[in-house]
Every structure is written in structure tokens, then in C-alpha cells.
Amino acid sequence: DQQVKQNSPSLSVQEGRISILNCDYTNSMFDYFLWYKKYPAEGPTFLISISSIKDKNEDGRFTVFLNKSAKHLSLHIVPSQPGDSAVYFCAASALNDYKLSFGAGTTVTVRA
Amino acid sequence: KAGVTQTPRYLIKTRGQQVTLSCSPISGHRSVSWYQQTPGQGLQFLFEYFSETQRNKGNFPGRFSGRQFSNSRSEMNVSTLELGDSALYLCASREDQGTQYFGPGTRLLVL
């Protein structure tokens, strides 16, 4: 049962524009959410996280928004750069549950 | 601080064999988790160890096992390998709770 869903397998965006990645979850016990970036043959790299007590967290070009009532979060990358081309995974965990549940990933391609 | 390291990076085995993968966490991190990534199933949680004790386990058969040593290094073992065990095995560490940081992974190919 996929508790974290990324319904867009791919996203193509022009350099300098905004990339918006979406993620939905079904488990209402999830209270901590993360985004990871992954290049082929490498491990995921942590980008940004947000806890359920907040609705927005910003770190440089990356902003994550959380809508708990809709069980939805999104990652905004502004401006998009060629080095942002990678697979982005949304992940979630519940308090005192030590595992991460991952979405299937969204492949982002930034066009020059 | 040095990141999470995993050895070996690549491995080829045949069906029926067993394999042991190793993970060294970030210094000071006492939690180590293992994940399997396959094209069909995505990233799936195997198990987590904290202070040498397994404190959570995913839905994998008993052929998958692990352990953690007093220095927080962890090993994962897969016995009686099957073709479907071919995957990227990722290790992640963290202090206790909070953000997990991943290693580069071990690519296992079962022939």
C-alpha cells in the first residue's frame, strides 16, 4: 500500500523558471516530511524537511509547503538550474516510527 | 564530518549464495537504517538499528537480516539470494530521530 504518492513521474522545466513538485500522502499519522534529490548510482541527498507544526519551510532556492488538511506537500525550486536535473523523492515518517516511506520519485529535467 | 560510507559499492553474486553488506554511519550517529531500491518497488524500508538493537523492521522475508556493532557500524546479510534481490541497497544514519542521511549505496546484481 503506497502511503506516499508522487503522481508525476517526470517534469521538464526551462532554466530560470520555477519547478513545482507535488506529493500526496494517506497516513494521517505522518508528521515529518522530507525531500531528497538523487542522481543515478548515488544515494539520495537530503534537501529540505518540514514538520507538521509548520506549513512552510524555506532554504535558499528550495521551499516546501505543507497542507495537512489536504494531505499534500509540494517542493518549489526557484530559479531552476541545470544541476537540479535529478530524481526527487518525497518521504514521510510518523512520530516514534523510525522508518521513512518514500514516493516513487519525480524526474526533473532542466532545459537550458 | 565524513558522510555515510558503504562497502562494497558493487557486487555480483549467483542465486543461492549469501551476501554481506557493510555500512559506516556518520560519526556520532547511533541509528542506521537500510533500504532497498528497485525499479519496480521504489525505495523500501528494510530495518533500523539503534544502539545495537533492531527497533523497526519492514516487510521483507527472514532471508534479510542485519546487525549493528558497538561502534554503530552495521551489516546487512541476505541469504539464499534470488534474482529479485538485485537492487541498490542504501544505508542511512541519523542521531536518534530526525533527518536520515544516506550513503552512496551498494549495487547488488544476482545472476
Side-chain angles (χ1 to χ4, degrees):
Chain A
D1 178 28
Q2 196 76 5
Q3 299 185 73
V4 178
K5 297 178 183 179
Q6 294 177 256
N7 292 319
S8 298
S10 63
L11 172 69
S12 180
V13 64
Q14 192 161 14
E15 182 179 1
R17 307 294 282 267
I18 184 172
S19 294
I20 300 176
L21 291 80
N22 294 302
C23 177
D24 297 295
Y25 61 96
T26 58
N27 189 339
S28 59
M29 300 301 291
F30 285 152
D31 65 347
Y32 188 60
F33 305 89
L34 310 91
W35 285 93
Y36 287 88
K37 172 181 176 180
K38 187 178 184 302
Y39 295 114
E42 295 184 12
T45 301
F46 169 71
L47 275 177
I48 192 168
S49 63
I50 188 167
S51 73
S52 59
I53 62 173
K54 301 174 78 172
D55 56 17
K56 176 183 174 182
N57 189 25
E58 193 171 354
D59 184 1
R61 298 187 297 114
F62 302 93
T63 303
V64 56
F65 297 91
L66 175 62
N67 182 333
K68 284 187 296 182
S69 61
K71 294 191 178 67
H72 176 84
L73 64 155
S74 62
L75 174 69
H76 292 205
I77 306 173
V78 185
S80 299
Q81 299 174 354
D84 295 332
S85 296
V87 180
Y88 290 78
F89 290 96
C90 170
S93 67
L95 183 65
N96 294 328
D97 184 359
Y98 305 104
K99 67 180 182 184
L100 286 175
S101 295
F102 281 87
T106 297
T107 300
V108 172
T109 303
V110 179
R111 310 184 311 270
Chain B
K1 282 184 181 178
V4 178
T5 58
Q6 292 186 244
T7 56
R9 293 293 311 277
Y10 303 94
L11 206 48
I12 300 175
K13 292 285 189 180
T14 56
R15 279 182 299 173
Q17 287 187 310
Q18 74 164 20
V19 67
T20 299
L21 312 181
S22 181
C23 172
S24 292
I26 292 170
S27 177
H29 287 190
R30 294 194 292 161
S31 161
V32 174
S33 296
W34 288 89
Y35 293 83
Q36 181 197 63
Q37 185 184 23
T38 59
Q41 299 296 321
L43 271 153
Q44 292 191 296
F45 173 77
L46 281 156
F47 31 65
E48 187 201 21
Y49 287 86
F50 180 79
S51 292
E52 302 179 65
T53 301
Q54 186 183 88
R55 67 178 179 181
N56 205 349
K57 190 177 189 301
N59 296 322
F60 279 81
R63 300 185 298 106
F64 292 81
S65 63
R67 59 177 176 168
Q68 186 180 34
F69 302 95
S70 58
N71 62 358
S72 294
R73 190 177 70 85
S74 177
E75 287 182 348
M76 190 193 92
N77 185 274
V78 187
S79 63
T80 319
L81 283 166
E82 301 176 359
L83 295 179
D85 297 332
S86 295
L88 180 67
Y89 290 89
L90 293 159
C91 166
S93 78
R94 58 180 166 179
E95 293 176 344
D96 180 3
Q97 298 188 37
T99 301
Q100 293 188 29
Y101 296 90
F102 285 83
T106 295
R107 173 73 64 183
L108 171 65
L109 177 61
V110 181
L111 301 175

